[in-house]
């Protein structure tokens, strides 16, 4: 029986990012996040945009990759922002699970789509589409970036942007039946710097402009902004190990 190679490259690190206090907010909060990835030793790390979901590739044919993907979406606690979210209630954290597909027509350009279904704070479907130009600059720098587009159905939009009768009475906001559609459009830019063969620093900015009912929600028009920006900085270290 053939054995499975036991040599792997493990990448560990940490990043911090500033992002809107809640989706649709105009003010920012700080969020620390871990960096964790595992790949076969000797295999180059695959490009990853900052907001990509965590994926497991099941199909690798030429420039096409596809497989399973997951993403975590933080909950929204009304008590943390009483001025803006009073009477709107909490929204639980959500695990989104689904499929991804990406295509590299060349070494410098990637397109990717993720379709995910939520479990928790929302139970709807979302789709994220992106394209990135990936350009090495010298021996240590890599710059990348491109456009972004997100879609969301009714069930994925209403918990965050809708206002029902009870919430309207408690918050003073008008009733609003938030429906799905084009959720946002935007763009991202990332810079990676290889300090040593094992240490890497990366910085990024991602901008999204809310659209359709997400932008028209009274929560956004009265208290927030349709302009949503995330800025992050991370440091990681890679090493080889035997996992079994």
């Amino acid at each position: 029986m053939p054995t499975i190679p036991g040599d792997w490259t493990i990448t560990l690190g940490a990043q911090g990012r500033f992002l809107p206090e809640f989706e649709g907010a105009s003010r920012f909060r700080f969020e620390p996040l871990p960096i964790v990835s595992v790949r076969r030793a000797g295999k180059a790390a695959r490009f990853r945009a900052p907001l990509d979901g965590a994926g497991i590739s099941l199909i690798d044919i030429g420039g096409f990759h596809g497989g399973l993907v997951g993403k975590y979406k933080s909950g929204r606690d009304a008590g943390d922002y009483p001025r803006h979210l009073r009477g709107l209630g909490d929204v639980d954290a959500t695990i989104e699970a689904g499929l991804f597909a990406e295509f590299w027509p060349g070494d410098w350009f990637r397109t990717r789509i993720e379709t995910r279904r939520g479990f928790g704070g929302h139970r709807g479907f979302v789709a994220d589409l992106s394209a990135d130009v990936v350009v090495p600059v010298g021996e240590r720098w890599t710059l990348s970036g491109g456009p972004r587009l997100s879609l969301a159905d009714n069930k994925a939009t209403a918990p965050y942007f809708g206002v029902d009768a009870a919430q309207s009475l408690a918050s003073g906001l008008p009733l609003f039946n938030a429906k799905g559609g084009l959720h946002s459009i935007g763009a991202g830019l990332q810079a990676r710097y290889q300090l040593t063969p094992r240490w890497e620093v990366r910085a990024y900015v991602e901008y999204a402009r809310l659209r359709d009912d997400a932008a028209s929600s009274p929560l956004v028009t009265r208290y927030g902004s349709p302009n949503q920006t995330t800025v992050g900085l991370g440091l990681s270290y890679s090493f080889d190990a035997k996992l079994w």
Side-chain angles (χ1 to χ4, degrees):
M1 177 180 294
T3 59
I4 299 175
D7 293 331
W8 300 85
T9 297
I10 301 172
T11 299
L12 300 176
Q15 65 171 308
R17 63 181 184 178
F18 288 93
L19 71 165
E21 291 178 328
F22 53 86
E23 196 171 14
S26 59
R27 298 175 61 182
F28 294 87
R29 64 183 173 90
F30 175 77
E31 181 180 68
L33 291 171
I35 296 174
V36 181
S37 70
V38 179
R39 67 181 187 275
R40 293 191 183 279
K43 186 176 182 180
R46 181 171 292 171
F47 170 80
R48 186 176 187 276
L51 300 186
D52 285 355
I56 299 174
S57 184
L58 302 177
I59 301 173
D60 292 283
I61 303 175
F64 177 81
H65 312 287
L68 306 178
V69 70
K71 202 168 193 179
Y72 174 80
K73 186 171 185 176
S74 300
R76 192 182 75 185
D77 189 338
D80 290 341
Y81 312 102
R83 178 172 174 267
H84 299 152
L85 300 179
R86 177 177 60 87
L88 295 181
D90 299 338
V91 180
D92 292 337
T94 303
I95 298 294
E96 297 176 346
L99 302 172
F100 82 90
E102 63 179 44
F103 179 60
W104 290 81
D107 294 337
W108 57 274
F109 184 67
R110 183 198 76 159
T111 59
R112 180 179 173 99
I113 181 171
E114 296 183 12
T115 57
R116 306 181 305 271
R117 199 266 195 186
F119 300 88
H122 82 77
R123 296 182 178 274
F125 287 89
V126 297
D128 293 336
L129 296 87
S130 63
D132 286 275
V133 174
V134 183
V135 182
V137 181
E139 295 182 356
R140 298 193 177 189
W141 284 97
T142 302
L143 302 180
S144 61
R148 314 280 189 250
L149 184 148
S150 291
L151 307 170
D153 69 7
N154 293 358
K155 291 182 178 180
T157 304
Y160 306 96
F161 298 99
V163 181
D164 63 24
Q167 291 172 333
S168 177
L169 185 63
S171 67
L173 294 174
L175 284 167
F176 188 73
N177 181 22
K179 297 181 180 180
L182 177 59
H183 184 72
S184 68
I185 58 173
L189 178 65
Q190 179 177 219
R192 294 164 45 203
Y193 181 70
Q194 201 73 40
L195 288 168
T196 72
R198 296 190 179 275
W199 287 98
E200 180 184 276
V201 176
R202 65 178 62 194
Y204 64 87
V205 57
E206 291 278 342
Y207 168 76
R209 172 84 179 186
L210 296 177
R211 300 298 300 269
D212 292 354
D213 279 9
S216 301
S217 168
L219 176 61
V220 176
T221 57
R222 183 173 298 187
Y223 296 130
S225 170
N227 299 305
Q228 304 286 284
T229 302
T230 299
V231 179
L233 177 66
L235 175 68
S236 62
Y237 177 76
S238 298
F239 60 95
D240 293 338
K242 283 185 176 292
L243 299 184
W244 53 76

